[in-house]
Amino acid sequence: RGSSFRSESMTLHVYYSDVVNNFQSENQENKLSLIAEDESFKFKNGNIGLRNINIAESSGKLVGLMGASGSGKSTLLNVLNGNETPSSGSVKINGIDIHQNRDQIEGVVGYVPQDDLLMEDLTVFENLFYAAKLCFKDLDKQAHIKLVDKTLDSLGLVETKELKVGSPLEKTISGGQRKRLNIGLELLREPSVLFIDEPTSGLSSRDSENIMDLLRDLSLKGKMIYVVIHQPSIDIFKMFDKLVILDVGGFQIYYGNPIDGIRYFKNVVNLVDSSSNINPEQIFNIVEAKVVNEYGYFTKERKISPEQWHEEFKKNIKIPSVEISNEEPPKSLNIPNKIKQAAIFCTRDVLSKLSNKQ
């Protein structure tokens, strides 16, 4: 299931997603490009969250954002999706600056937070149905139902459609099904670019792989997906087309293929390793390796600082060039006015209270 392959006679890797995209490119109606240039972000307290981050991607890619605690993964996700405005630099989708021209990318970007937004007393179907009503004012009831059924089918949730969602403590559906339903709330409106914060957090290994399989399939259909991921298994690690790795303080220290990333960090420290095993933890074991004192004990000082890793990154890794698409990003969102929204919210809340009493 690796995302790249090569033979002994090949000096360059061939990436699986690139092969698929080449076959699908003629059938793709809309081309996408996302380019983040020299992104930096400073918090209100003066602390720096991101430092000159550069990313360039096109349609059909699944990109992982990895890093230790305090490295800025979630901050980067929120800057890329437009929830936070960078202190400097820009993020452009098809040449449109998403922070300066928010109206032009409304409905293009989807965001799934780590905490779910589900109504616990409503069924799986009802959660999606009312989300659909809030997204598409021009559709009638039957069209809303058809859209929800299509989404349920793509999420593998058809058999649970009549079950109440329940709370995380009083579960009616599984943790993996909750995550899928959360993703479904965004997939309803078919965003072209999807950002997801730790979709596998708290899930079993099987449920985690199922979620990532779903995201992988979506990317192969042309969507661009960015995922904050923490300690992935090797199977999940290899699903990503690209990996952005941040170090403490918001320093970018890697951007490229996941498997190549392990080789990259080993090469920087001249680590000779004859093992053919691939373990994502090796990356952070190398990045965060500590200095050993004269007594043979590890100190708190790192062998290579975040600043030094960033300098190695600038010296050794070239940001790929991506053709900027001039097409208008596809969007289907058609939000009802505030009065109709209020009516939908009231109807949903009444239904939720009645369901709770039953």
Side-chain angles (χ1 to χ4, degrees):
R1 195 195 282 177
S3 55
S4 68
F5 62 90
R6 66 176 179 179
S7 67
E8 294 181 358
S9 60
M10 294 171 64
T11 57
L12 295 176
H13 285 203
V14 176
Y15 297 110
Y16 174 71
S17 60
D18 289 337
V19 174
V20 174
N21 284 336
N22 282 334
F23 279 105
Q24 293 183 333
S25 60
E26 293 183 0
N27 297 323
Q28 288 181 0
E29 295 181 359
N30 302 100
K31 306 293 183 181
L32 287 174
S33 63
L34 184 148
I35 299 176
E37 291 185 312
D38 297 323
E39 270 189 328
S40 294
F41 182 84
K42 183 180 290 186
F43 294 102
K44 292 181 180 179
N45 62 8
N47 292 337
I48 297 177
L50 299 172
R51 305 169 190 260
N52 301 109
I53 307 298
N54 289 278
I55 296 172
E57 288 299 339
S58 55
S59 306
K61 295 295 176 63
L62 179 60
V63 182
L65 308 179
M66 286 182 65
S69 178
S71 61
K73 303 184 297 295
S74 293
T75 302
L76 176 57
L77 191 77
N78 282 311
V79 169
L80 291 175
N81 66 27
N83 285 341
E84 296 283 3
T85 302
S87 305
S88 62
S90 64
V91 181
K92 296 180 179 180
I93 295 177
N94 286 18
I96 300 170
D97 190 310
I98 69 170
H99 298 100
Q100 295 182 8
N101 303 284
R102 294 179 184 273
D103 57 323
Q104 294 185 43
I105 55 97
E106 184 180 29
V108 174
V109 172
Y111 171 56
V112 182
Q114 188 173 353
D115 298 325
D116 66 49
L117 303 173
L118 305 175
M119 298 289 289
E120 297 173 358
D121 296 316
L122 298 183
T123 65
V124 170
F125 176 88
E126 289 166 343
N127 267 275
L128 289 175
F129 178 75
Y130 284 103
K133 287 177 71 68
L134 287 167
C135 289
F136 304 106
K137 68 178 182 181
D138 53 331
L139 299 183
D140 59 23
K141 183 178 180 179
Q142 289 304 314
H144 283 134
I145 291 174
K146 184 177 179 180
L147 175 61
V148 171
D149 285 339
K150 176 184 175 183
T151 304
L152 286 168
D153 184 54
S154 67
L155 294 168
L157 292 175
V158 173
E159 294 181 358
T160 65
K161 64 184 292 185
E162 300 302 332
L163 294 178
K164 281 188 180 181
V165 168
S167 69
L169 296 179
E170 297 180 5
K171 293 182 179 179
T172 306
I173 59 176
S174 70
Q177 290 168 334
R178 290 182 73 90
K179 289 286 186 181
R180 283 175 173 262
L181 183 55
N182 256 303
I183 294 171
L185 295 178
E186 286 296 310
L187 289 184
L188 270 173
R189 55 188 185 83
E190 298 189 354
S192 302
V193 188
L194 187 60
F195 297 90
I196 309 176
D197 195 359
E198 302 225 16
T200 62
S201 176
L203 300 183
S204 67
S205 58
R206 183 65 257 171
D207 280 339
S208 296
E209 287 192 22
N210 286 339
I211 291 294
M212 293 308 300
D213 279 333
L214 169 65
L215 299 179
R216 184 73 188 139
D217 288 343
L218 290 171
S219 70
L220 291 175
K221 293 176 182 176
K223 293 191 184 300
M224 189 187 300
I225 302 177
Y226 291 82
V227 179
V228 170
I229 196 76
H230 183 66
Q231 293 182 334
S233 68
I234 181 56
D235 287 333
I236 290 177
F237 185 73
K238 293 193 294 184
M239 288 185 192
F240 291 104
D241 302 306
K242 294 287 184 63
L243 203 61
V244 178
I245 301 181
L246 303 179
D247 203 352
V248 177
F251 290 95
Q252 186 173 9
I253 62 173
Y254 182 72
Y255 181 31
N257 181 264
I259 307 304
D260 290 347
I262 295 177
R263 299 189 186 99
Y264 167 75
F265 287 105
K266 287 181 179 179
N267 289 335
V268 171
V269 298
N270 296 316
L271 177 64
V272 178
D273 185 2
S274 60
S275 172
S276 60
N277 293 330
I278 297 172
N279 185 351
E281 291 184 8
Q282 286 180 310
I283 292 177
F284 294 106
N285 289 340
I286 295 171
V287 169
E288 300 174 356
K290 306 296 184 182
V291 173
V292 177
N293 64 21
E294 64 269 27
Y295 303 107
Y297 295 106
F298 287 106
T299 66
K300 294 182 179 181
E301 181 185 356
R302 280 175 38 169
K303 291 182 178 179
I304 303 178
S305 68
E307 293 90 343
Q308 290 171 319
W309 278 119
H310 183 60
E311 289 302 317
E312 289 292 335
F313 166 79
K314 291 194 296 182
K315 183 172 63 176
N316 296 311
I317 296 181
K318 182 180 179 181
I319 304 301
S321 59
V322 171
E323 182 180 354
I324 299 175
S325 175
N326 294 320
E327 298 180 13
E328 182 177 347
K331 52 185 176 182
S332 56
L333 195 63
N334 195 356
I335 299 174
N337 61 38
K338 291 184 179 180
I339 295 176
K340 289 186 177 180
Q341 288 183 49
I344 294 169
F345 280 125
C346 287
T347 303
R348 186 191 66 178
D349 292 344
V350 169
L351 179 61
S352 177
K353 290 178 182 179
L354 290 174
S355 299
N356 190 30
K357 291 180 180 179
Q358 293 177 355

